[in-house]
Amino acid sequence: MWCAVDKFGAGHPTFSKMGAMTDPVRTIAERVRTRVLREGIDLGADGTAARRYADEEVRRYSERALAGAHAQLADESGTARDVVAAITGYGPLQPFFDDPTVEEIWLNAPTRVFVARDGVAELTPVVLSDREVRELVERMLQHSGRRVDLSSPFVDASLPDGSRLHVVIPDVTRAHWAVNIRKFQRSIRSLSQLVELGSLTRQAAEFLRMSMLAGANILVSGATHTGKTTMLNALMSAARTGDRVVTVEETFELDLDVRDLVSMQCRQPSLEGTGEITLRRLIKEALRMRPDRLIVGEVREAESLDLLIALNSGLPGMCTIHANTARDALTKLCTLPLLAGRNIDASFVVPTVASCIDLVVHLGMDRQGSRHVAEIAATSGAVFDGVVEIESIFTRRGGELEPTGALPPRIEKYVTVGLDPAIVLGRDAA
């Protein structure tokens, strides 16, 4: 028997050594399912029913064990917990969902289950079957209304706790279902928390807070897993409390502490190929909802054009983008709108990016998995040789985020609301 008592979670002795469900758990879980169906109980409506039924069936199983019908359970409480996980949770994966140190879970194959802690990947001892993987994915997709099948071999969905699920199935993958679950983290909700973690300095945080109050358009860039969504959440904590905020995402990931908030996500087409709602459509609809600030979870394709048009109308906004540097982020944002059609060319896009984007906050991650702000740069609004000019305001030197001594080239937005970035930047930049 494998009892997970270390970093893989505590108190799950009724799963086998490699993490598969044992016969007692499977047997008791089937009896609970039978009772639930027979009695017409809605486990979703009654949060305590699953545990109550599991405890009752575990006691009955133990009573039969005393009569010699089968072997006794080593841990009745642990067995009941695993039965509940098998019925309402995610079976052998549930301990990783319950472990707050686990940031991400992914399956390359039933025998290759990984987790990430502090940005570092670990191969777990959990081994599943192909059938168990399919059943887990089906259970995860139940609440989203989305599907994955041969006609639609990819799926992005949000789990009830806010975690993001991505699945790819054969024959797009070689042999097995590939599953990624990015757990929803509620721990970081403000710039001050990022300061406490050492991700940025107090001076840089104050400058970003000032920029948010000034209504600056901010592009958050970085590689995968560098904390771009977390940064959006933290930045929004510094926004004006009366702002009406509209967010659009492929799948819900943002968790904003905002009083006046509307969140929208894309929708897959139906089996008939109808009903699809794209990110481009959502951005256009968002403009009709009287937003004071528009947030796009991530731009990857032609929706970047709609975002630029929205920002060019005077609407403050933010979005994230995958890029290696702050300059690369602006270059990419100048390229993506060209995917919208042949009638869109760089002569329109590049000046629009230069005039719309005020700041680029670029994020990085070191070899130990620590995430940090690598650079904060401001655009000048000018274009030179087809490239948007930017000025570094903060840059990382020797592992520390330091001011460069430069001020944002365009300070009109700050002056309009009575703010002076020189007060913050000049304190240590002189």
Side-chain angles (χ1 to χ4, degrees):
M1 301 286 260
W2 169 56
C3 184
V5 295
D6 194 12
K7 61 185 178 182
F8 294 110
H12 291 268
T14 54
F15 287 109
S16 70
K17 182 177 180 181
M18 299 306 291
M21 194 184 302
T22 59
D23 287 338
V25 173
R26 184 177 292 106
T27 300
I28 297 171
E30 286 301 323
R31 288 173 179 165
V32 172
R33 289 191 186 98
T34 300
R35 284 189 60 187
V36 168
L37 291 173
R38 183 174 64 246
E39 298 176 19
I41 301 298
D42 182 1
L43 296 180
D46 188 346
T48 64
R51 182 67 192 214
R52 185 171 66 252
Y53 277 59
D55 288 338
E56 292 175 1
E57 292 301 325
V58 165
R59 283 196 296 270
R60 292 177 182 175
Y61 188 95
S62 296
E63 290 170 359
R64 287 191 290 271
L66 291 174
H70 42 246
Q72 293 187 6
L73 297 172
D75 182 357
E76 291 187 6
S77 178
T79 300
R81 183 165 53 248
D82 292 333
V83 168
V84 172
I87 295 172
T88 63
Y90 303 122
L93 299 184
Q94 189 61 43
F96 305 132
F97 281 90
D98 297 335
D99 186 346
T101 66
V102 173
E103 302 167 344
E104 193 160 358
I105 308 163
W106 65 95
L107 291 74
N108 298 340
T111 59
R112 289 291 184 270
V113 181
F114 293 82
V115 299
R117 289 182 174 87
D118 296 325
V120 180
E122 304 171 8
L123 176 62
T124 74
V126 173
V127 172
L128 306 170
S129 66
D130 284 311
R131 177 181 176 183
E132 284 178 308
V133 173
R134 289 194 296 270
E135 290 176 349
L136 284 170
V137 170
E138 289 171 1
R139 192 177 305 163
M140 293 175 186
L141 290 174
Q142 280 179 351
H143 296 276
S144 70
R146 300 192 175 192
R147 72 182 196 282
V148 60
D149 51 38
L150 290 177
S151 65
S152 181
F154 305 95
V155 68
D156 269 306
S158 295
L159 302 185
D161 67 349
S163 299
R164 178 173 177 175
L165 171 70
H166 179 74
V167 182
V168 188
I169 67 173
D171 56 356
V172 174
T173 55
R174 182 182 293 274
H176 304 288
W177 288 33
V179 182
N180 286 75
I181 305 157
R182 185 176 298 180
K183 286 178 59 179
F184 178 66
Q185 304 287 342
R186 295 180 180 271
S187 56
I188 302 174
R189 302 289 293 273
S190 67
L191 291 170
S192 60
Q193 288 177 291
L194 292 178
V195 172
E196 293 172 2
L197 292 171
S199 298
L200 77 164
T201 62
R202 191 168 302 279
Q203 183 183 11
E206 180 60 23
F207 172 70
L208 291 177
R209 185 191 71 83
M210 190 176 288
S211 301
M212 288 295 297
L213 292 175
N217 295 325
I218 301 177
L219 179 64
V220 178
S221 65
T224 306
H225 308 307
T226 51
K228 296 184 293 296
T229 302
T230 299
M231 176 56 72
L232 284 184
N233 286 328
L235 287 170
M236 278 306 302
S237 70
R240 297 184 294 266
T241 56
D243 281 356
R244 174 172 170 78
V245 179
V246 179
T247 69
V248 297
E249 305 173 82
E250 286 189 353
T251 58
F252 292 128
E253 285 189 274
L254 291 167
D255 178 42
L256 305 180
D257 188 13
V258 177
R259 182 183 65 180
D260 191 353
L261 173 68
V262 176
S263 300
M264 297 186 289
Q265 70 173 356
C266 299
R267 188 172 70 190
Q268 284 184 310
S270 66
L271 290 173
E272 295 77 21
T274 61
E276 180 181 17
I277 298 178
T278 66
L279 208 53
R280 297 196 68 180
R281 172 71 182 275
L282 290 180
I283 293 174
K284 294 172 183 176
E285 295 298 327
L287 298 180
R288 301 185 175 101
M289 303 175 71
R290 195 190 172 277
D292 294 312
R293 189 179 297 271
L294 172 66
I295 301 179
V296 179
E298 181 180 349
V299 290
R300 293 175 178 162
E301 298 180 10
E303 66 272 357
S304 56
L305 173 64
D306 302 281
L307 173 63
L308 289 176
I309 293 173
L311 299 182
N312 198 35
S313 66
L315 173 65
M318 295 192 296
C319 74
T320 72
I321 192 168
H322 282 85
N324 294 322
T325 66
R327 293 180 184 275
D328 286 350
L330 287 173
T331 300
K332 188 173 182 179
L333 190 60
C334 291
T335 304
L336 291 179
L338 304 181
L339 301 174
R342 294 181 179 179
N343 58 330
I344 306 298
D345 59 39
S347 63
F348 164 76
V349 174
V350 176
T352 303
V353 171
S355 63
C356 289
I357 302 300
D358 298 305
L359 291 180
V360 182
V361 180
H362 185 71
L363 310 178
M365 183 168 61
D366 61 26
R367 293 183 177 180
Q368 288 72 43
S370 297
R371 299 169 176 86
H372 55 260
V373 175
E375 182 181 9
I376 300 175
T379 62
S380 66
V383 176
F384 183 73
D385 286 343
V387 178
V388 178
E389 287 189 340
I390 63 171
E391 181 79 41
S392 290
I393 308 299
F394 289 87
T395 188
R396 190 163 288 271
R397 302 190 186 99
E400 297 293 331
L401 186 65
E402 298 178 352
T404 62
L407 294 175
R410 295 182 293 176
I411 63 171
E412 297 83 4
K413 290 185 177 180
Y414 298 91
V415 173
T416 300
V417 295
L419 298 173
D420 184 3
I423 296 176
V424 174
L425 298 177
R427 190 174 301 164
D428 295 322

